[in-house]
Amino acid sequence: MEFITTQLFFSTLFVCLVCLNANILQTYMVHLHPNGMTSSLFTSKLHWHLSFLEQTVASQEDPSLRLLYSYHTAMEGFAAQLSEAEVESLKKLPDVIAIRPDRRLQIHTTYSYKFLGLNPTRGGAWYKSGFGRGTIIGVLDTGVWPESPSFVDHGMPPVPKKWRGICQEGQSFSSSNCNRKLIGARFFTEGHRVATKSSAPNIVQEYVSPRDSHGHGTHTSSTAGGTSVPMASVFGNGAGVARGMAPGAHIAMYKVCWYSGCYSSDIMAAMDAAIRDGVDILSLSLGGFPLPIYEDSIAIGSFRAMEHGISVICAAGNNGPIERSVSNEAPWISTIGASTLDRRFPAIVRMGNGQTLYGESMYPGNHFMTTGRDLELVYVTGGDGGSEFCFKGSLPRDKVRGKLVICDRGANGRAEKGQAVKEAGGAAMILANTAINLEEDSVDVHVLPATSVGFDESVRLKAYINSTMKPMARIEFEGTEIGKSRGPAVAQFSSRGPSFTNPSILKPDVIAPGVNIIAAWPQNLGPTGLPEDSRRVNFTVMSGTSMACPHVSGIAALIHSVHPKWTPAAIKSALMTTADITDHSGKPIMDGDIPARVFAIGAGHVNPGKAIDPGLIYDIRPDEYITHLCTLGYTTTEIFSITHRNVSCHEVLLMNRGFSLNYPSISVTFKHGMRIKMIQRRLTNVGSPHSIYSLKVTAPEGVKVRVKPHRLIFKHINQSLSYKVWFISRKSTGTETTRFAQGDLTWVHHNNSFYRVRSPISVTWKGKEY
């Protein structure tokens, strides 16, 4: 009897928990048919959207209180607070295509324009494009600090007549904060608000307005299109003229990221508004883990933007060097990885045994203020407090007071570790890379004297500590060095391909500067972004594919200014086919100790001087993307949710036998038993009439490559010619593991060697596990 009673109790408890869970409200994005049968019954799209809630939500509740956003452009549908039971009811209603839960995404966190060859001399990319004049860059990020000198509108042209955006007022932000440089600003908080109903932590001063509370958005938007600011530096480090990639372009900020992250419902609302506002470029330094395209809100909104002629540029993510970690991988998005510059900030560790370790830092003043004396080294380990990572409160004051403290990378922020050392009484810090970070050298504007050393150096450092009873060392700051190191190289953290959901497209597309980038910073934050940091600066340093993305957004703006009628695919082609695969010394771009492979650099390192005049382009029509989705095996419903096109893939594929997307890179997969693969490409002449291009192929190892024709003869501008490529595998496909090889295919102009239109080739032999 006791067993039955107990069993009954737990059964009742389980049912109650299920019921409770079914009634918990969460945010969902409801995707509707854009030409739905029921829409004609209503006077507006908003009323139509509300009708779905009226049919679903209990009658005693006002359904409009559940509605967060009504979408009309980036997608047709709405975001609302719903229970699981209400979601199930909604799915049964006509015109409902898909319902997706809200996702939380994260941001992918001066000299770079010179490094990329941009200069104001006559004949360069800046001169030809008028510095991006007339182009509007929309940035989705954490907001903007409008008083930054990077957003002064001196010398800017009038706001373009096509602009339909607004300067939305809010907390500490008025319409007068916009000008001819910062022409628009909006904020989107509904998804964030309902997901984080508890108030923000005390350490966060969050502005409910377009104003930036975190610095990331100010940094990225100024990188893309900031105006020229002379004598910019971070406490004297990296001094020079700060300029965005397109200093003549206009900027519109769409604040979608808050202290808890960036919610897809807010992102979709921002893309919806940006398309209507009239932006030319959308820059998104944010993302999550790879998703199927039909579940990815950024991919869906980007397709609609692409149809409106808007180039969408996204960060590849910071999950490198892990394979298949690249995000934002839809083929109509330009996916940007990160590279290093040839600029360094040396901060050498001189150990008591006379040996030195190379490190880097942007500690203010760039010289050690302890009269050159050595400090005792200490590395606190043991226990479960995380002292080796220098967590706040983990360092015993009696062990670290007045000493040079070693902190391992990882687990908490780099600058946060320095603050923990400072609070515990430490005099200085050495930030030691682990096996995960290897030789990555992102620097910070630390709150105390500090330097960061690579993994090899940290092994030597710890060996020295263990070799003596009283290890001693000092840090010697040596300022800013330019041109003394090889660059560009792949950033260790930059996410890598192949694409997890769509390996038929090579991702990332290109890489761009993303390590130790100096750009604008808000005046409410110290240069580390820590709440304890009371210092104030106009510029600071950040690293991440978040920084690489706006470099390419700005370069895309330059291309758009020169070629305003080009499609987003044409602009992407120009960026990819002209990218560099060698560094500034003429040697292969490196990825750590080895030459970089295509899954790290895509087509290569962006070259704006060449991208503005590529000679030939690979263009793609929106219908071709739909055919590509059919080749991936997507269902009619899945394709409709992305494209708003009702297609029969059976008919589409019958009409397009042997179809391959006209992408600027080539990705070939040999599945079990397959020996030959044929792809076709189409090139359009945007250079000069009467142009002849000859073929140069570097065949991937284990593959024979045949191309017809070997020459392309263009008689006039905008003429398109096609070619076919046969890949014949010399390897068997019956092995257990997946293997890769790479090569390239380049069309070279007969009379003008400036025009070299290169496509990287990736070949994959699928193993038996697939």
Side-chain angles (χ1 to χ4, degrees):
M1 183 69 186
E2 183 180 337
F3 170 76
I4 295 173
T5 306
T6 305
Q7 189 180 46
L8 184 63
F9 169 76
F10 281 110
S11 298
T12 306
L13 180 62
F14 175 75
V15 170
C16 290
L17 288 172
V18 169
C19 294
L20 185 64
N21 190 52
N23 291 317
I24 293 173
L25 297 183
Q26 293 183 2
T27 301
Y28 292 87
M29 298 170 70
V30 181
H31 204 146
L32 303 177
H33 195 298
N35 303 309
M37 294 180 295
T38 59
S39 64
S40 61
L41 303 174
F42 299 89
T43 56
S44 71
K45 288 291 182 74
L46 174 61
H47 286 103
W48 181 43
H49 295 171
L50 279 170
S51 74
F52 289 90
L53 294 175
E54 288 165 356
Q55 296 175 71
T56 309
V57 176
S59 57
Q60 64 267 26
E61 190 176 347
D62 182 357
S64 65
L65 297 177
R66 297 280 200 90
L67 185 72
L68 302 182
Y69 292 110
S70 178
Y71 306 122
H72 310 287
T73 311
M75 68 173 254
E76 185 65 57
F78 59 91
Q81 287 256 282
L82 300 166
S83 68
E84 286 184 9
E86 290 165 345
V87 168
E88 292 305 312
S89 298
L90 263 178
K91 286 179 180 177
K92 299 172 185 174
L93 296 180
D95 297 332
V96 174
I97 297 170
I99 302 177
R100 293 183 297 275
D102 206 3
R103 290 177 64 228
R104 185 176 70 175
L105 307 180
Q106 298 294 340
I107 48 180
H108 288 158
T109 304
T110 57
Y111 163 72
S112 55
Y113 68 85
K114 289 184 181 177
F115 183 75
L116 290 169
L118 288 170
N119 60 73
T121 58
R122 190 179 184 88
W126 267 350
Y127 181 84
K128 290 177 182 176
S129 67
F131 296 85
R133 193 179 181 90
T135 298
I136 303 168
I137 305 172
V139 181
L140 274 64
D141 216 297
T142 64
V144 65
W145 194 264
E147 294 84 4
S148 165
S150 290
F151 306 120
V152 170
D153 67 353
H154 178 71
M156 285 293 296
V159 175
K161 291 181 180 179
K162 70 166 188 169
W163 177 243
R164 299 181 295 276
I166 63 170
C167 197
Q168 185 179 1
E169 298 197 338
Q171 184 181 358
S172 301
F173 199 97
S174 70
S175 58
S176 63
N177 286 124
C178 291
N179 56 23
R180 295 191 308 273
K181 165 58 74 175
L182 180 66
I183 64 172
R186 297 179 186 260
F187 64 101
F188 302 85
T189 186
E190 293 302 309
H192 159 77
R193 179 183 60 80
V194 297
T196 54
K197 289 185 177 176
S198 58
S199 59
N202 292 332
I203 59 169
V204 179
Q205 182 193 2
E206 191 77 85
Y207 298 101
V208 185
S209 74
R211 186 171 290 279
D212 191 0
S213 306
H214 304 271
H216 191 273
T218 300
H219 199 280
T220 56
S221 54
S222 69
T223 300
T227 195
S228 299
V229 182
M231 296 184 291
S233 72
V234 185
F235 296 120
N237 294 306
V241 178
R243 286 189 179 101
M245 294 297 100
H250 306 280
I251 296 170
M253 173 55 68
Y254 299 85
K255 181 175 177 178
V256 297
C257 297
W258 308 82
Y259 69 87
S260 61
C262 325
Y263 289 85
S264 54
S265 56
D266 295 330
I267 293 168
M268 184 63 80
M271 296 181 84
D272 204 59
I275 294 169
R276 293 195 306 271
D277 288 347
V279 303
D280 300 302
I281 312 291
L282 271 175
S283 185
L284 287 79
S285 291
L286 48 91
F289 288 99
L291 278 178
I293 295 173
Y294 55 84
E295 292 182 0
D296 186 340
S297 297
I298 291 177
I300 293 168
S302 296
F303 188 89
R304 207 63 18 76
M306 175 272 299
E307 287 186 306
H308 283 80
I310 300 167
S311 292
V312 182
I313 319 293
C314 292
N318 297 338
N319 294 313
I322 300 169
E323 287 186 357
R324 294 182 173 86
S325 59
V326 63
S327 62
N328 296 319
E329 43 190 348
W332 46 85
I333 290 173
S334 294
T335 310
I336 315 302
S339 66
T340 64
L341 302 171
D342 64 354
R343 178 179 63 188
R344 304 194 302 181
F345 306 96
I348 309 301
V349 178
R350 190 170 299 278
M351 298 185 292
N353 61 5
Q355 296 182 13
T356 59
L357 305 173
Y358 179 78
E360 292 197 42
S361 178
M362 288 188 75
Y363 176 70
N366 237 12
H367 59 273
F368 204 41
M369 298 301 291
T370 57
T371 63
R373 66 182 178 85
D374 289 356
L375 296 172
E376 185 177 348
L377 278 166
V378 61
Y379 178 46
V380 184
T381 59
D384 55 5
S387 56
E388 68 271 28
F389 294 109
C390 299
F391 287 134
K392 199 165 185 175
S394 69
L395 298 170
R397 183 173 289 270
D398 58 327
K399 289 186 178 180
V400 303
R401 189 200 303 270
K403 296 178 182 176
L404 179 49
V405 183
I406 299 169
C407 301
D408 284 340
R409 282 278 302 272
N412 56 338
R414 299 186 301 269
E416 192 180 321
K417 297 173 190 289
Q419 181 65 32
V421 171
K422 184 178 180 181
E423 289 176 1
M429 175 182 72
I430 300 174
L431 196 56
N433 278 12
T434 65
I436 295 173
N437 314 107
L438 295 175
E439 306 311 309
E440 183 206 314
D441 56 355
S442 300
V443 302
D444 300 276
V445 192
H446 289 288
V447 295
L448 81 172
T451 188
S452 176
V453 300
F455 178 59
D456 290 346
E457 303 288 61
S458 71
V459 171
R460 291 177 55 205
L461 174 65
K462 290 169 185 176
Y464 167 62
I465 290 174
N466 293 330
S467 70
T468 179
M469 293 292 293
K470 192 174 182 181
M472 305 291 287
R474 68 176 182 268
I475 303 173
E476 298 174 354
F477 297 92
E478 297 183 358
T480 303
E481 288 184 354
I482 292 175
K484 292 187 178 180
S485 58
R486 285 182 62 177
V490 180
Q492 177 77 12
F493 56 75
S494 186
S495 286
R496 314 301 165 95
S499 170
F500 186 75
T501 62
N502 183 10
S504 63
I505 299 296
L506 177 61
K507 291 285 182 172
D509 290 309
V510 291
I511 58 173
V515 178
N516 303 335
I517 304 302
I518 296 173
W521 195 245
Q523 282 288 301
N524 67 321
L525 292 171
T528 61
L530 296 173
E532 299 90 348
D533 191 352
S534 60
R535 302 169 297 175
R536 293 295 179 262
V537 291
N538 283 322
F539 298 88
T540 198
V541 64
M542 296 185 81
S543 296
T545 53
S546 276
M547 284 62 250
C549 170
H551 277 86
V552 178
S553 301
I555 295 166
L558 300 181
I559 299 171
H560 181 270
S561 293
V562 178
H563 309 284
K565 294 184 179 180
W566 277 14
T567 65
I571 290 174
K572 181 199 283 192
S573 175
L575 291 165
M576 292 177 66
T577 60
T578 60
D580 294 327
I581 56 171
T582 55
D583 62 23
H584 285 191
S585 67
K587 298 176 181 176
I589 292 173
M590 299 298 287
D591 183 6
D593 296 330
I594 62 170
R597 300 185 65 79
V598 290
F599 295 136
I601 65 170
H605 194 268
V606 67
N607 183 326
K610 291 181 178 178
I612 211 157
D613 184 14
L616 305 174
I617 55 166
Y618 293 93
D619 208 354
I620 303 174
R621 298 182 296 270
D623 286 350
E624 293 177 287
Y625 288 119
I626 294 170
T627 306
H628 173 69
L629 294 175
C630 285
T631 67
L632 298 179
Y634 281 16
T635 67
T636 300
T637 301
E638 289 165 350
I639 292 174
F640 192 91
S641 69
I642 300 166
T643 66
H644 285 183
R645 311 279 187 92
N646 204 357
V647 298
S648 165
C649 278
H650 177 70
E651 293 178 8
V652 166
L653 294 176
L654 278 178
M655 294 168 59
N656 295 275
R657 291 184 182 275
F659 173 85
S660 51
L661 188 67
N662 198 41
Y663 211 73
S665 57
I666 299 170
S667 186
V668 175
T669 299
F670 290 110
K671 296 180 181 178
H672 184 62
M674 186 184 292
R675 297 299 297 270
I676 299 176
K677 185 94 174 195
M678 188 274 286
I679 65 102
Q680 184 168 313
R681 290 291 189 267
R682 180 184 70 254
L683 279 164
T684 302
N685 181 26
V686 294
S688 52
H690 307 293
S691 294
I692 300 174
Y693 285 82
S694 294
L695 182 68
K696 179 183 177 185
V697 175
T698 303
E701 184 182 348
V703 178
K704 182 179 179 181
V705 179
R706 289 176 51 213
V707 183
K708 286 188 177 181
H710 283 91
R711 287 201 313 169
L712 297 176
I713 302 172
F714 294 94
K715 294 180 180 178
H716 51 81
I717 293 174
N718 294 325
Q719 179 185 359
S720 295
L721 296 173
S722 296
Y723 65 92
K724 292 181 179 179
V725 188
W726 287 265
F727 296 90
I728 301 130
S729 173
R730 300 178 187 272
K731 294 183 178 182
S732 67
T733 53
T735 59
E736 295 292 333
T737 57
T738 297
R739 293 169 296 163
F740 303 99
Q742 66 182 52
D744 57 35
L745 182 156
T746 308
W747 293 98
V748 183
H749 196 286
H750 265 214
N751 301 319
N752 186 349
S753 59
F754 179 82
Y755 292 136
R756 297 177 62 87
V757 185
R758 178 184 173 276
S759 293
I761 299 170
S762 166
V763 176
T764 303
W765 290 267
K766 281 287 183 72
K768 287 182 178 178
E769 72 269 24
Y770 287 92

